[in-house]
């Protein structure tokens, strides 16, 4: 059987949801069916070692991601950006000198931000698939004209009902509607349960106070600033608890400095990036998602797999995953909403206990096997 040749593009394999999902997919598809080239803008990230060795990895740059503007870093940033722009304008150079191939059957954009690059591919006959992991309809920079460009791809993979409905409403024809497919992110729950028991990296002391854990890249979309403001308000009302934020990002230093300025080091713990965050999730009392917007928050599935009581703002994917509030508390997407949810969990232990009882009985619909099979069906369809 002739193997299908696939090119997959993504920025890097850093610690993000889309990156995790992609690597999980790659680890669970058969080598005998596909020949895969993975092209990274930046060859870095925690998931890089997990890519199966039969997959060919190409890259535009090496080194770490640069998130600051220190004088000695600016030339590197300018060089990287210039190279990417040149290859976007002249894609033939990329396929001739870096990939050295022009015979792909399928080209997948695993991060929607690279849509334009793949649509300009010189391989005109390849199937173009864009995988949308964010609720673009709530991000101001994505105008209607910009969103319509997604229909230039042959297939749009939407990871939640919210995202699918957004594109359905935008579609102008049956042909465009037929391009949209909802596909749950492939998540390996067995891997999550196994890693949660590995405590060698757990450098946080869990005391008597109830602990809310939040996990994610530290930048404004995740709403960790709102979480900290609510934490202060609840402490002032005498509701003792702690916050554990696991993650790193360009907002980390700003939030960490705020914590120190307000002398909150004893109650807010900025853990930073952890290769394995699951032990923190397992040991904490509650999980909280304070996001301003999401696509389909993978971390919610991880909390569900570990049977944690959940508070989540009403962003894309949450109602779907929490079954309209049956499996976790959905709150208004605001600081006030986060406050009301946390206060209820701290004031009445019966509330989070009820969610635990439901989770113990529930079979979750987000199975690894179903998601991988559906993705392969999309790739294999002529």
């Amino acid at each position: 059987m002739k193997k299908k040749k696939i090119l997959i593009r993504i920025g890097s394999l850093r610690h993000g949801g889309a990156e995790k999902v992609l690597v999980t997919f790659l680890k669970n598809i058969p080598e005998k069916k596909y020949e895969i080239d993975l092209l990274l803008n930046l060859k870095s990230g925690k998931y890089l070692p997990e890519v199966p060795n039969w997959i060919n990895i190409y890259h535009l740059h090496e080194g770490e991601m640069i998130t600051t503007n220190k004088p000695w870093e600016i030339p590197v940033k300018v060089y990287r950006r210039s190279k990417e722009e040149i290859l976007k304008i002249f894609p033939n150079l990329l396929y001739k000198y870096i990939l050295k191939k022009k015979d792909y059957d399928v080209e997948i954009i695993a991060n929607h931000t690279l849509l334009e690059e793949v649509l300009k591919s010189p391989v005109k006959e390849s199937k173009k698939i864009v995988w949308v992991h964010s609720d673009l309809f709530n991000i101001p920079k994505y105008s209607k004209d910009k969103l319509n460009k997604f229909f230039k791809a042959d297939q749009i993979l939407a990871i939640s009902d919210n995202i699918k409905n957004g594109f359905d409403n935008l579609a102008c024809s049956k042909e465009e509607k037929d391009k949209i497919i909802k596909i749950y992110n492939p998540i390996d729950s067995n891997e999550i349960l196994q890693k949660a028991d590995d405590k060698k990296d757990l450098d946080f002391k869990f005391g008597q106070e109830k602990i809310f854990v939040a996990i994610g890249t530290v930048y404004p979309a995740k709403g960790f600033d709102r979480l900290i403001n609510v934490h202060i308000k609840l402490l002032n009302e005498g509701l003792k608890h702690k916050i554990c934020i696991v993650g790193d990002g360009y907002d980390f230093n700003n939030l960490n400095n705020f914590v120190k300025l307000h002398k909150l080091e004893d109650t807010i713990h900025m853990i930073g990036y952890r290769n394995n965050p699951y032990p923190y999730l397992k040991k904490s009392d509650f999980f909280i998602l304070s996001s301003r917007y999401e696509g389909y928050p993978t971390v919610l599935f991880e909390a569900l797999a570990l049977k944690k009581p959940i508070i989540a703002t009403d962003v894309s994917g949450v109602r779907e995953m929490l079954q309209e509030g049956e499996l976790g508390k959905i709150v208004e997407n605001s600081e006030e909403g986060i406050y009301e949810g946390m206060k209820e969990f701290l004031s009445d232990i019966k509330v989070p206990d009820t969610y635990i009882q439901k989770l113990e009985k529930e079979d979750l619909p987000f199975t690894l096997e179903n998601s991988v099979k559906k993705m392969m069906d999309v790739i294999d369809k002529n």
Side-chain angles (χ1 to χ4, degrees):
M1 182 178 69
K2 185 181 177 183
K3 290 185 177 183
K4 193 157 264 187
K5 294 183 180 180
I6 302 170
L7 174 65
I8 302 176
R9 293 200 62 173
I10 194 167
S12 71
L13 291 178
R14 65 183 181 85
H15 45 286
E19 293 81 358
K20 168 68 173 174
V21 164
L22 173 60
V23 172
T24 300
F25 170 67
L26 294 176
K27 287 160 67 175
N28 288 279
I29 58 174
E31 179 183 359
K32 65 182 180 181
K33 281 193 71 171
Y34 306 110
E35 180 182 319
I36 296 179
D37 290 348
L38 175 62
L39 175 61
L40 308 172
N41 280 8
L42 183 62
K43 189 180 180 182
S44 72
K46 66 172 276 189
Y47 298 119
L48 195 57
E50 296 186 34
V51 176
N53 57 18
W54 60 271
I55 292 171
N56 306 307
I57 300 177
Y58 298 89
H59 63 274
L60 304 186
H61 321 292
E62 287 189 289
E64 293 305 312
M65 188 174 292
I66 300 172
T67 58
T68 59
N69 286 313
K70 294 172 183 174
W72 58 88
E73 294 175 336
I74 292 175
V76 179
K77 290 178 75 172
V78 171
Y79 167 74
R80 288 178 178 178
R81 186 59 188 267
S82 299
K83 184 176 180 179
E84 290 170 22
E85 287 300 314
I86 289 169
L87 293 175
K88 186 190 292 188
I89 297 168
F90 304 105
N92 276 306
L93 297 176
L94 170 66
Y95 286 73
K96 183 176 181 180
Y97 294 106
I98 296 177
L99 296 170
K100 299 178 182 177
K101 293 179 185 176
K102 277 192 180 180
D103 59 347
Y104 294 110
D105 300 299
V106 179
E107 296 184 73
I108 300 173
I109 309 112
N111 185 327
H112 61 268
T113 58
L114 296 172
L115 174 69
E116 187 178 345
E117 283 85 338
V118 176
L119 291 179
K120 287 184 176 181
S121 164
V123 190
K124 300 305 179 187
E125 62 276 12
S126 69
K127 180 195 284 189
K128 311 293 192 302
I129 300 171
V130 56
W131 206 344
V132 183
H133 291 270
S134 296
D135 185 4
L136 307 180
F137 302 89
N138 283 316
I139 301 177
K141 70 177 182 178
Y142 281 92
S143 63
K144 186 176 180 180
D145 287 343
K146 197 167 184 177
L147 288 165
N148 273 320
K149 288 181 180 178
F150 283 77
F151 289 104
K152 292 182 180 180
D154 297 296
Q155 214 85 65
I156 301 170
L157 303 185
I159 63 170
S160 72
D161 283 334
N162 257 31
I163 297 172
K164 184 180 186 302
N165 292 341
F167 281 109
D168 279 337
N169 293 334
L170 201 62
C172 296
S173 65
K174 183 180 184 302
E175 182 185 11
E176 287 188 342
K177 278 187 178 288
D178 288 344
K179 290 185 175 187
I180 309 159
I181 295 176
K182 189 185 82 172
I183 177 169
Y184 285 128
N185 280 338
I187 304 295
D188 192 340
S189 56
N190 289 329
E191 180 184 56
I192 293 166
L193 295 171
Q194 183 180 353
K195 287 186 173 182
D197 288 327
D198 185 359
K199 300 181 178 63
K200 64 176 181 288
D201 292 328
L202 198 63
D203 54 2
F204 174 74
K205 292 182 179 179
F206 292 81
Q208 296 300 312
E209 294 97 343
K210 296 295 183 183
I211 294 178
F212 292 87
V213 65
I215 300 171
T217 306
V218 184
Y219 71 118
K222 298 300 181 183
F224 294 142
D225 56 322
R226 305 195 293 187
L227 179 58
I228 292 172
N229 289 338
V230 169
H231 171 68
I232 294 171
K233 186 175 179 180
L234 290 169
L235 287 181
N236 289 338
E237 293 179 8
L239 290 168
K240 293 183 178 180
H241 66 287
K242 290 184 178 181
I243 303 284
C244 179
I245 297 175
V246 184
D248 200 358
Y250 64 77
D251 247 8
F252 183 89
N253 288 336
N254 291 335
L255 291 184
N256 202 29
N257 289 336
F258 182 89
V259 168
K260 290 177 181 176
L261 181 66
H262 291 81
K263 297 181 171 54
L264 296 168
E265 296 98 318
D266 289 338
T267 56
I268 294 184
H269 300 272
M270 302 290 294
I271 302 295
Y273 169 75
R274 287 294 180 271
N275 188 51
N276 177 14
Y278 304 125
Y280 292 92
L281 180 53
K282 184 173 182 177
K283 286 284 288 181
S284 295
D285 298 285
F286 316 122
F287 174 78
I288 185 157
L289 184 87
S290 55
S291 297
R292 290 180 167 88
Y293 58 84
E294 288 277 355
Y296 187 83
T298 304
V299 70
L300 263 196
F301 179 89
E302 296 164 349
L304 288 170
L306 291 170
K307 314 295 184 187
K308 285 292 148 182
I310 293 167
I311 297 172
T313 49
D314 194 0
V315 292
S316 177
V318 165
R319 289 192 172 275
E320 196 174 342
M321 294 187 76
L322 297 184
Q323 297 180 8
E324 296 296 328
E326 283 296 308
L327 302 182
K329 185 168 186 62
I330 303 170
V331 299
E332 180 184 277
N333 185 3
S334 66
E335 206 164 287
E336 182 63 23
I338 296 167
Y339 164 76
E340 293 293 344
M342 291 176 68
K343 184 174 183 178
E344 185 175 26
F345 269 32
L346 291 170
S347 302
D348 186 356
I349 196 62
K350 291 179 183 177
V351 176
D353 281 352
T354 299
Y355 289 120
I356 293 174
Q357 291 166 17
K358 288 179 181 176
L359 289 170
E360 294 290 351
K361 300 174 184 176
E362 196 74 23
D363 288 326
L364 301 177
F366 318 103
T367 67
L368 176 67
E369 294 77 13
N370 288 346
S371 296
V372 171
K373 182 183 181 302
K374 194 164 185 179
M375 184 68 173
M376 287 172 58
D377 288 344
V378 172
I379 290 171
D380 294 339
K381 186 178 178 182
N382 293 324

